[in-house]
Amino acid sequence: ARASLRVIMDEDLAHRADQLGRWFRAELEGIGSPSVAEVRGRGLMIGVDIRESAGTARSYCKELKERGILAKETQTQVIRFAPPLVIDRETLSGALEDIREVLLG
């Protein structure tokens, strides 16, 4: 536990997660999908609210899983993204391509 905390502190992962999360959230908002009601979150934990008329979050999560992206549906209409704190921007950029295609249908 101490070694994990040391890595979090030494690599300033909280600050990094905040900065990368702001960028990721803005990119998700920029997709402009009519299926999305709202994008919200803090750090790298981000929720994408799916409009009821667009189906359930579970169907989107299944499609994302088929593309190699793990996300969890919560409260029926929310896709929760919670990538690891050590993820890099390039990896998130690559995932955004697939997320965009899934959200735009």
Side-chain angles (χ1 to χ4, degrees), residues 11 36 44:
E11 296 185 21
V36 175
L44 283 169

Side-chain angles (χ1 to χ4, degrees), residues 11-69:
E11 296 185 21
D12 201 13
L13 292 181
H15 176 72
R16 195 173 160 282
D18 180 56
Q19 296 301 309
L20 197 52
R22 288 174 195 257
W23 172 81
F24 188 44
R25 198 167 54 250
E27 291 292 314
L28 289 169
E29 290 169 345
I31 292 173
S33 171
S35 301
V36 175
E38 179 184 18
V39 178
R40 63 181 182 274
R42 185 169 188 175
L44 283 169
M45 184 172 278
I46 297 173
V48 176
D49 240 334
I50 301 297
R51 296 184 192 283
E52 287 188 31
S53 60
T56 64
R58 176 170 286 204
S59 62
Y60 289 88
C61 289
K62 284 182 180 180
E63 195 171 338
L64 288 166
K65 183 180 176 187
E66 290 172 8
R67 294 168 179 255
I69 299 169

Side-chain angles (χ1 to χ4, degrees), residues 4 7-14 16-18 20 44 82-92:
S4 295
V7 169
I8 291 169
M9 299 293 285
D10 290 348
E11 296 185 21
D12 201 13
L13 292 181
R16 195 173 160 282
D18 180 56
L20 197 52
L44 283 169
L85 295 177
V86 295
I87 198 164
D88 58 38
R89 190 171 177 156
E90 293 75 25
T91 303
L92 279 176

